[in-house]
Amino acid sequence: MNTTLWIIQGLLAAMFLMAGIMKTFMPKDKLAKMTWTVNASVAKIKFVGISELLIALGLVLPQLTGILPILTPVAACALVVIMILAAVEHYNSNEMKAIGMNMFILLLAAFVAYGRFTTV
């Protein structure tokens, strides 16, 4: 179980590290391929990016270092919330195909949260 959790944590962290870097540091016009960014403010895009960066770090570092390992399942719960908000945003933007990926990530994050809360 621990190995499975680590694999999922690593995959989620890598995904959200890349997404967070992109949304935090790329100019808004380069993010136009993501429909939701067209009507979003730069501050909202940066906020989402920074949130994704913090979640990526939170999914791995606390558990890895042993410093406040309770933060790992908390980060996974935050990712669940972000995926719910992302699904709503995709629904409002009429991007139904993206909602499936949001739900898949939500399930993985919920699995990590459950697995890490029960082992803390």
Side-chain angles (χ1 to χ4, degrees), residues 19-20 23-24 36 42-53 82:
K23 290 173 190 151
T24 303
W36 71 271
V42 172
K44 180 179 179 180
I45 296 168
K46 302 279 185 221
F47 176 76
V48 170
I50 291 168
S51 298
E52 289 174 343
L53 287 172
I82 283 185

Side-chain angles (χ1 to χ4, degrees), residues 31-104:
L31 298 172
K33 63 183 174 191
M34 291 185 276
T35 309
W36 71 271
T37 62
V38 174
N39 296 323
S41 68
V42 172
K44 180 179 179 180
I45 296 168
K46 302 279 185 221
F47 176 76
V48 170
I50 291 168
S51 298
E52 289 174 343
L53 287 172
L54 291 173
I55 286 171
L57 295 174
L59 284 169
V60 176
L61 289 181
Q63 195 73 32
L64 185 65
T65 63
I67 300 171
L68 294 172
I70 190 69
L71 293 179
T72 295
V74 170
C77 289
L79 183 53
V80 168
V81 171
I82 283 185
M83 286 300 102
I84 292 169
L85 295 173
V88 170
E89 190 70 36
H90 288 301
Y91 178 80
N92 291 337
S93 298
N94 202 28
E95 299 172 330
M96 300 306 170
K97 292 180 182 179
I99 295 173
M101 181 58 102
N102 294 139
M103 293 300 106
F104 180 67

